Structures are given as C-alpha cells and as structure tokens.
Amino acid sequence: MDTKWRSKLVVVFWLILFTYGLSGVTAGISSGSDYLRGDYFKTPQFNDELNQFINYLSMFELNELPKTEAKGAITVSKDEIDEHRYRYGNLSSQISSIKNQYEDKINDAKEAGNEEVAQTYVEERDKKIEDITNNFKSDEYIQAKIIKEKEQRIDEYYKIKENYRTDFLRYKKAFTYYLKDTVTGQVYTNIGDVNAQSLKNTFNSKTMEFIQTYPTRTNDYLSTEITGSYYSDAVSEYEDVITLLKANTTHLFEGKIAVPKSAIKESAIHANYYDFLYKKDIFLKFTISGLILLIISSYFLFREKSYFRKETSEKWRALYQLIPIDISVFGLICLIFINLGLLFLIGDRILYFDENIFMTSRDILFSLMIGALSITLTFFYGKLLFERFKYAERLKEDWKSSFIMRSWGALQLAFLNRHVGTQLFILLAAVFAFGAVLTAAVIKPVLILLYIPAFLFIGIPILVLLIRRIGYFNKITRSTNEIVRGNLEPDLPIVGQSILAKLANNINVLKHGVRTSKKEQAKSERLKTELITNVSHDLRTPLTSIITYTELLKTPNLSKEDSDSYLEIIDRKSKRLKVLIDDLFEASKMASGNIELIKQKVDIVQLLQQSLAEYNEMINESSLQFRITNTEQPIYALVDGQKLWRVFENLISNILKYTLDNTRVYISVKTEEERAIIEFKNISKYELSENSDELFERFKRGDTSRNTEGSGLGLAIAKSIVDLHGGSLDIEIDGDLFKVIVILNIE
C-alpha cells in the first residue's frame, strides 16, 4: 500500500514539474518579444513614454503659438459660409420653421392673457428671423459669427491644455533635448548654454543611457505631426484647433533627445525602468528552468512504462461513450482554454512575484496543483476522444446521435413554427396548471383560496389574451381575403411582437408592394408612351425636313442658290438624325452594360479643365458666368478618360442649353474619403419636375416643349458611364436650382 502511495506521489510531483515547465515555455512564447530585446529603451513601453514626451514638448514649446496669434490665423472658407447658411435649409424654409416653433407658444400665451410673455416670444422670433435673413444677405455677417465660434474653441483649448503642464514638467526632468527648427533656426533645449563642445559633453554614452538623433539613416527629421495620436481624449476633441496650430507652426526639427543616467534614478521613467530589469531577470530564469523541467518531466511521465501510457480501462471508455460526440469535442476545447488560462495565470504569478514570499509561494503552489490536475484530465479526455475518432463508421453513428442532431430533430418535430409553438406550449401549460390546481382544490378545499386569486389575476388575463388573439387572427384572415379580391384595405394594426403581429406586418408590406408595383407599372407605361412619343417626335422632325426639301429639289428650273440652300438643310438634318440615332444606340449599349472600358490613371481635374476648354468659345459667347473651384493637387482615378470626358461634355452642354441667362454656374472638384466629388450647379430657365429620376429617362428634356437642340439622352448616357465606373451620378432639384453630383472612386 505504501508503495502505491509513493508511486502516486511521484506522479503528482512530476505532474507539478511538468505544469511548471509548460507555463514557463508558454510565458517564453507569449512574452519573449518584450523581454528578449535586452534593453528597456527598445521596448514599446519606453517608446510610448518618448512619444508622450514629444507630444507634450510639441504642445508647450515646439508648436507653441500665442493665443492672440492663433486667433489671428483663423480663416473662413466659402464652404464653411455655405454650410452655415444652408445648414437648416434655404431662407424661406428656415423662416417658416422659426415661425412654426413660436406660433403655438405665442397663441398659448395670448389665450392665457400673458401679453408680456407673448410679446417676449414675438421679439425672440423676430430676432432669430432677422439673424437668419442677415445670413443670406451678407457673407461677412456669417464670417464674423464663424470667427467668434472658432475664437471660443481656441480659448477652451488653451484652458484645457494648461491642465497638462505639470505632466510636461515631470517628463522634462527625465529627458534632455536639443532641437533646432530647420526652417527658422530657432533652438529648443533644456541644457542651458549651447555650443559645439557643450553638446559633445552632454550627448555621449558616458552621461546618457539613451540617445535619439534626428535625422539618421533610420530616423527622419522630427515632425511634431506624428504625435497627434498621443493627445489625450480631452485635447483631441479640439482637433480643429490643433490643425490650425500645426498649419501655422509645424516644422521639421533636427537634434537629439536623450535620457541621462542620473535621471533614471529619480525621473518619471524610474519605476518602469527598474521594473523592466526586475521582470526580465525573473523571466529568463523562469523560461530557462521551465524548458529544462518540461523536458525532464516529459521523459518520466510519457516513457514506455509510465502511468500515462497505460491502456484506458473499459469502464472509463464505456462511460465516455455515453457523452455525445459534439459535447465531447466542446468539452475538450473548453479544457484546452482552461489550461491555457491556468498556465498564463501561473506565469503571471511567477513573473509578478510579490514581496510577501509566503503568500505568493502558496498561491503559486496551489495554482500548479490545480494546473496539474487540469492537464491530467485534459490528457485522458483527449486520449479517449482520439480513440473515438479512429473508427469512421462508429463516428457517423456518433454524429447521428449527437446532442445537436437530436435537439434539431426534436425541435423540427415539436415546432414547425417556433413562435406559435412556444406560445401554444405556454398556454397549454397554464391550462394544465389551472386544471391541476382545481383538481387539488376539489380534493382539498383549502386550496380554493389559492385557485381563486390565480384564476382572477392569471387565468382571466390569459383568456382575454386568447380571445383577442383569435379576433386579431380573424381580422388578418379577412384582410388577406380582400387582397385576393383586389381590394387593398387600410393597413392592419401591429400589436405587440407576436407571430400574428409579424404576419400582419408582412401583409402590410405585401400591400405596399402591390401598391408600389401598380404605381411603378403605371409609371412604366407612361414613360414608355412618352419615350415612343419623344422618339417619334425627335426622329420625325429632321426626317420630315429631309423629305420636304428632297421633294423641293425635284422642282423643275430650280435656281442654283435654292438648290444649294436645300442641300445644306438636308445635310444638316441628316447629321442631326445621325446624332440622334447614334446617341440612342450608345445609350442602349451602356444601359445593358455591353461596352468595354479602357481604364487608365487620369487626372480628374485636368480632364474637367480640358472639357471646359472645348466649350470656351461658347461659354464666352453666352451670358453665363462660370465659377470653377479646383483642388490645388491633381486627383487621380482609374477611369476610361474618353468616356468620362463624354460625361463632362454632356453636363456642360446641358448647362449651356438650359441655364437661365445672366446667372452664375458653379463647378467644383474636391476629395472626400478616397472619393472624387464633382458638382455642377446652375439655375434652370425651364420649370423642372420635382421627380429628378425622370430626367434620367431617355429622350427626357428639361425643355418640355422640345424646342432646343439635343437628343434628351445626355444625362442617361452620363449616368450609365458613371455607373459602369462604379461611381454615382445624382441630381438634386430645389426650385429652379439644378445640381448634378458625380462621385468617383480615386486611388
């Protein structure tokens, strides 16, 4: 008996050593990159400290700009003015909104007899209307308001920034720096007098533990822009102010940043530095000893005659077979994760050894014992699972009897409709429960005192709910019968989240779909009729002229001048007819996607300028004033330049044809989130339909009288080209304001 116990104790001992070794190797794999660097000053932790210092240095010295100068550098762009002006719509809509806000307040005050309160509301309303009106009268008025808002932001930023000065001074004691602005030549340092000899005496390996030089082969010039990610949350909320300051103060710096050896003992990085050295020493000892003990303990535990190599008894195998295969796999996965967690826990307790040696040693030993037990259980569990997977035929049977398959089969049989089945199960359970309580009450009358309150507060509400659900179901059935007859009644009410409510909602959706389908069908028929009419009109007009003047050419004794004139008209109308047919053919090809794009890297800005140059003579002859806004940098996109030029050509041609005389045309190009946005804005000389989608229909024109030249295919072709490029072309109409927005993906 004593021999068996000694044998078991030996196994437990080797298991504990095996667990220790495995945790040491695990720690080596997971934390080796942190501690094998050999130098604290090469760790990510110190790099964060350095970047934090550069951040503070940038904030308080390198990028320091007096508040008055920061306010003086404020600018207001045209886009900011437009955004402020149209933030809540145009002038009429904003005034109408303000009046609606105060109308009820004024009327309520007057009805209550509070004339003074009513007059106060009237004055507030008129003041807001006057402010909104001034917004649309003067850019300078809006500019002053925006400047005031930005000045307030600057004041708030400088106030918050002062909260971090103490941290900056603490870091300043830990680092020695000498930085020179490469643009202005200004020097920033904390070493006092600066000359070549003092720099040499200061920045050397004898006095400094760490030296970072800018620039070197591996480091570029120091730019304070790189430290933006290290701003605290409170400061980063003022990104607009930070951007303004950097735009006016950010330069490149050359020089050195170092950590004096003397500063390590008392500076902000003191604790982290010595903590790293302490943990590194423990880590190396722990990992090396763990690897050695893992090898030795593995030999003793898994040698040929060891306890772990014995056959698993039939008793345990039979019990294990009772566990479903999927539960078995899931259990093994859980055990593996538990073991990993225990190994990391042991590694952490050893690496972060506490000063209380007794408490920490006890915790480590207890963790090792739990870990050894868990690893043993996992080993035998995995061994049984592996033996189970060796037999393919048995495995198929195991899967059929798995928990997942059995549960799925049971659910399919019990609930063809899960929600209805669940609700029915609850109702049946309630009915059986009340029947059981009533039976018990008959046997033992005292239970009637329990049955009556339960029936009043539970049974009757369930009965009422059941009656309402049946009525609701009958109402849904009646509505579906009406839909079958073609009568689209008002929407069914959606009551609760039950299956009946979802069914009613689906029926409502179907009704809306039928209505929408009918509307779309009517619209399609109307557009089809309009298309045939427009095509007939546009093709017949030049064709009629050709036939007429051809007949006139047959007139005997026709003069040379008349003959030439008729031929010129026939030639012009023939070319016009050819353009219409070519445009229709091209629009059909693009709509079907049956067209090949030859994509190249193209500058969108330059392509737009070339398109405008083609129409330069017509623009100069027109009464329109073009306002072009381009980016300073080129915007490159992978597009078919010829097809995209056709888009710009069609849009500019439409502007020249359909813009109200003596008005301005605005064309702008900008980038946003890796997309190029090209906007065309003009005032239409013709009244536009509010349905902008119809303008994309073929042979649809803004000039409904069809007196202008054009095929009515320009926008349809342009949209098809943009769609083929994976972009979008949208139209916005606000009264007579016509706006086309082209969005393309850029590199």
Side-chain angles (χ1 to χ4, degrees):
M1 181 67 99
D2 292 339
T3 303
K4 288 185 177 180
W5 272 107
R6 281 198 297 271
S7 177
K8 291 181 178 180
L9 287 175
V10 169
V11 171
V12 170
F13 172 76
W14 285 115
L15 275 171
I16 291 175
L17 293 184
F18 178 80
T19 305
Y20 175 88
L22 200 59
S23 64
V25 173
T26 304
I29 295 172
S30 62
S31 304
S33 59
D34 295 332
Y35 294 106
L36 294 178
R37 298 175 186 272
D39 188 354
Y40 168 73
F41 297 101
K42 295 180 181 178
T43 62
Q45 186 177 7
F46 174 74
N47 192 55
D48 288 341
E49 298 263 16
L50 177 62
N51 285 329
Q52 185 64 68
F53 168 67
I54 296 174
N55 173 61
Y56 285 136
L57 189 63
S58 169
M59 186 187 298
F60 289 100
E61 289 189 14
L62 304 183
N63 274 355
E64 179 65 18
L65 189 69
K67 190 191 300 184
T68 54
E69 291 185 24
K71 291 181 178 180
I74 292 175
T75 59
V76 180
S77 66
K78 177 64 177 175
D79 288 342
E80 289 178 310
I81 293 174
D82 289 342
E83 190 278 331
H84 190 281
R85 178 176 287 153
Y86 296 103
R87 184 178 297 168
Y88 304 106
N90 56 28
L91 177 60
S92 60
S93 64
Q94 292 189 50
I95 292 176
S96 176
S97 176
I98 293 171
K99 287 181 178 179
N100 291 336
Q101 291 175 13
Y102 283 90
E103 184 176 0
D104 292 339
K105 295 180 181 179
I106 294 171
N107 292 336
D108 291 344
K110 287 182 178 180
E111 290 176 1
N114 297 327
E115 291 294 334
E116 292 183 1
V117 175
Q119 185 60 32
T120 302
Y121 285 139
V122 170
E123 290 175 359
E124 287 182 8
R125 180 197 65 190
D126 293 343
K127 187 175 180 181
K128 288 186 177 181
I129 292 175
E130 181 183 2
D131 179 60
I132 296 299
T133 305
N134 288 334
N135 283 346
F136 283 84
K137 285 183 178 180
S138 169
D139 287 355
E140 289 75 12
Y141 182 79
I142 299 177
Q143 186 176 17
K145 292 168 65 177
I146 296 175
I147 289 174
K148 186 176 180 181
E149 291 175 0
K150 290 187 175 183
E151 287 179 344
Q152 290 177 350
R153 295 276 295 171
I154 290 173
D155 289 335
E156 293 171 3
Y157 168 77
Y158 274 83
K159 184 177 180 181
I160 291 175
K161 189 180 80 169
E162 284 303 311
N163 296 333
Y164 298 93
R165 188 174 291 277
T166 303
D167 289 339
F168 168 59
L169 295 176
R170 184 169 59 87
Y171 272 103
K172 195 172 181 179
K173 293 179 180 178
F175 290 91
T176 299
Y177 61 94
Y178 170 84
L179 297 172
K180 183 178 179 181
D181 194 320
T182 58
V183 176
T184 64
Q186 185 173 353
V187 172
Y188 300 88
T189 183
N190 61 350
I191 62 174
D193 295 335
V194 177
N195 54 60
Q197 187 61 39
S198 63
L199 291 176
K200 185 176 181 180
N201 293 336
T202 301
F203 295 100
N204 58 70
S205 58
K206 293 181 180 180
T207 58
M208 298 295 168
E209 192 71 33
F210 165 82
I211 301 175
Q212 181 83 326
T213 304
Y214 304 94
T216 63
R217 287 184 297 177
T218 56
N219 291 325
D220 203 349
Y221 288 93
L222 176 64
S223 173
T224 52
E225 290 186 29
I226 64 170
T227 62
S229 60
Y230 290 89
Y231 282 121
S232 65
D233 292 339
V235 177
S236 61
E237 292 180 3
Y238 295 86
E239 192 64 35
D240 53 335
V241 180
I242 295 170
T243 302
L244 174 67
L245 296 176
K246 287 186 175 182
N248 289 276
T249 60
T250 299
H251 297 133
L252 298 176
F253 297 87
E254 60 182 8
K256 298 176 184 294
I257 297 178
V259 177
K261 291 184 177 180
S262 58
I264 292 177
K265 298 180 180 179
E266 54 187 16
S267 68
I269 64 173
H270 164 77
N272 291 335
Y273 176 77
Y274 285 102
D275 184 60
F276 171 81
L277 296 179
Y278 174 72
K279 289 177 182 175
K280 178 183 176 182
D281 181 59
I282 293 180
F283 168 79
L284 292 174
K285 294 176 180 177
F286 178 41
T287 304
I288 294 171
S289 62
L291 181 60
I292 295 171
L293 289 177
L294 179 64
I295 295 171
I296 296 173
S297 60
S298 297
Y299 171 75
F300 281 97
L301 289 174
F302 299 103
R303 68 186 188 276
E304 190 65 31
K305 297 181 180 180
S306 70
Y307 177 77
F308 284 89
R309 297 293 295 272
K310 292 180 180 179
E311 270 306 311
T312 308
S313 67
E314 288 298 326
K315 176 184 176 182
W316 289 109
R317 186 178 289 107
L319 290 173
Y320 183 77
Q321 292 291 340
L322 297 176
I323 303 174
I325 188 70
D326 50 348
I327 298 296
S328 181
V329 172
F330 179 75
L332 180 61
I333 293 172
C334 291
L335 283 173
I336 291 173
F337 277 102
I338 290 172
N339 286 329
L340 287 174
L342 287 171
L343 292 174
F344 281 117
L345 176 64
I346 294 168
D348 285 343
R349 290 192 172 180
I350 293 175
L351 289 175
Y352 299 93
F353 200 84
D354 194 80
E355 292 181 358
N356 191 328
I357 297 175
F358 174 76
M359 294 284 291
T360 307
S361 301
R362 184 192 63 184
D363 291 343
I364 292 174
L365 181 60
F366 180 75
S367 300
L368 286 171
M369 293 176 67
I370 297 296
L373 178 63
S374 177
I375 290 172
T376 304
L377 177 62
T378 304
F379 176 79
F380 282 109
Y381 196 90
K383 184 180 178 182
L384 289 169
L385 183 62
F386 177 75
E387 291 176 357
R388 194 169 182 177
F389 269 94
K390 286 194 299 184
Y391 305 101
E393 294 180 359
R394 176 67 182 174
L395 189 60
K396 292 179 181 179
E397 295 297 323
D398 282 345
W399 175 246
K400 289 180 181 178
S401 62
S402 65
F403 177 78
I404 294 175
M405 295 303 295
R406 283 188 293 179
S407 299
W408 177 248
L411 286 173
Q412 283 182 317
L413 292 173
F415 299 98
L416 292 176
N417 187 301
R418 185 175 58 183
H419 297 287
V420 173
T422 302
Q423 293 174 7
L424 183 61
F425 177 81
I426 294 172
L427 289 174
L428 289 175
V431 170
F432 280 112
F434 277 107
V437 174
L438 183 60
T439 303
V442 172
I443 298 172
K444 197 171 183 178
V446 71
L447 293 177
I448 199 71
L449 298 176
L450 176 65
Y451 178 79
I452 292 175
F455 180 76
L456 291 175
F457 295 104
I458 299 176
I460 292 179
I462 290 177
L463 181 63
V464 171
L465 177 64
L466 188 60
I467 293 172
R468 291 181 63 183
R469 290 290 173 87
I470 293 172
Y472 194 26
F473 177 76
N474 290 333
K475 193 173 183 179
I476 293 171
T477 304
R478 186 183 65 186
S479 179
T480 55
N481 292 333
E482 291 298 322
I483 293 174
V484 171
R485 296 189 185 100
N487 302 323
L488 301 180
E489 293 185 335
D491 287 350
L492 290 166
I494 308 300
V495 182
Q497 299 291 330
S498 66
I499 188 65
L500 294 178
K502 291 182 179 179
L503 179 60
N505 182 64
N506 291 338
I507 292 172
N508 290 340
V509 172
L510 288 174
K511 275 197 238 176
H512 289 298
V514 172
R515 290 194 187 100
T516 303
S517 178
K518 287 184 176 181
K519 289 180 182 178
E520 289 296 327
Q521 186 176 2
K523 179 183 175 183
S524 177
E525 292 296 329
R526 177 175 60 81
L527 291 176
K528 189 186 299 181
T529 303
E530 288 183 5
L531 176 61
I532 295 171
T533 303
N534 293 337
V535 170
S536 300
H537 177 276
D538 288 349
L539 295 179
R540 186 174 55 192
T541 300
L543 185 59
T544 302
S545 298
I546 292 171
I547 295 171
T548 301
Y549 284 99
T550 302
E551 291 296 327
L552 289 174
L553 281 172
K554 297 177 182 179
T555 305
N557 301 322
L558 187 66
S559 66
K560 176 67 174 174
E561 292 181 359
D562 289 340
S563 175
D564 292 342
S565 176
Y566 296 161
L567 286 172
E568 182 186 352
I569 293 172
I570 291 172
D571 181 65
R572 188 170 68 251
K573 296 300 180 180
S574 299
K575 291 177 179 177
R576 166 69 179 149
L577 187 60
K578 183 179 183 301
V579 169
L580 288 172
I581 294 172
D582 288 345
D583 282 355
L584 180 59
F585 180 68
E586 186 175 1
S588 299
K589 281 181 64 179
M590 290 184 179
S592 64
N594 187 21
I595 189 169
E596 182 180 357
L597 297 178
I598 303 174
K599 293 185 177 182
Q600 295 178 335
K601 190 174 182 181
V602 176
D603 182 2
I604 302 294
V605 177
Q606 185 179 9
L607 186 63
L608 178 60
Q609 290 173 346
Q610 291 174 355
S611 303
L612 287 167
E614 291 289 332
Y615 285 89
N616 190 47
E617 184 177 348
M618 295 178 65
I619 292 172
N620 292 334
E621 291 176 357
S622 70
S623 62
L624 305 178
Q625 299 180 29
F626 278 70
R627 297 288 185 267
I628 315 298
T629 304
N630 291 327
T631 59
E632 295 180 0
Q633 301 295 330
I635 302 174
Y636 291 103
L638 194 64
V639 297
D640 187 326
Q642 186 176 2
K643 297 291 189 298
L644 191 59
W645 184 87
R646 179 69 185 278
V647 173
F648 294 155
E649 179 190 32
N650 288 357
L651 295 177
I652 296 169
S653 176
N654 280 353
I655 288 173
L656 291 170
K657 290 175 187 175
Y658 301 119
T659 302
L660 183 66
D661 294 337
N662 299 311
T663 59
R664 295 186 181 91
V665 177
Y666 294 93
I667 302 176
S668 65
V669 185
K670 61 182 179 181
T671 58
E672 182 179 305
E673 296 180 355
E674 296 185 354
R675 300 181 302 169
I677 302 176
I678 307 103
E679 294 184 354
F680 300 81
K681 293 187 285 187
N682 65 289
I683 303 297
S684 174
K685 67 169 70 172
Y686 302 104
E687 185 175 353
L688 298 172
S689 169
E690 291 184 0
N691 189 356
S692 60
D693 291 338
E694 290 190 5
L695 291 175
F696 289 120
E697 297 297 330
R698 287 173 287 180
F699 286 92
K700 197 76 177 178
R701 296 195 205 167
D703 173 18
T704 55
S705 64
R706 313 188 74 79
N707 292 323
T708 57
E709 288 290 331
S711 63
L713 295 167
L715 285 176
I717 292 173
K719 180 170 178 58
S720 296
I721 293 173
V722 174
D723 289 343
L724 287 172
H725 281 87
S728 64
L729 189 151
D730 298 310
I731 292 176
E732 294 181 4
I733 297 174
D734 188 357
D736 291 333
L737 176 63
F738 185 80
K739 183 177 180 181
V740 179
I741 305 170
V742 179
I743 300 177
L744 295 169
N745 296 322
I746 61 176
E747 293 187 346

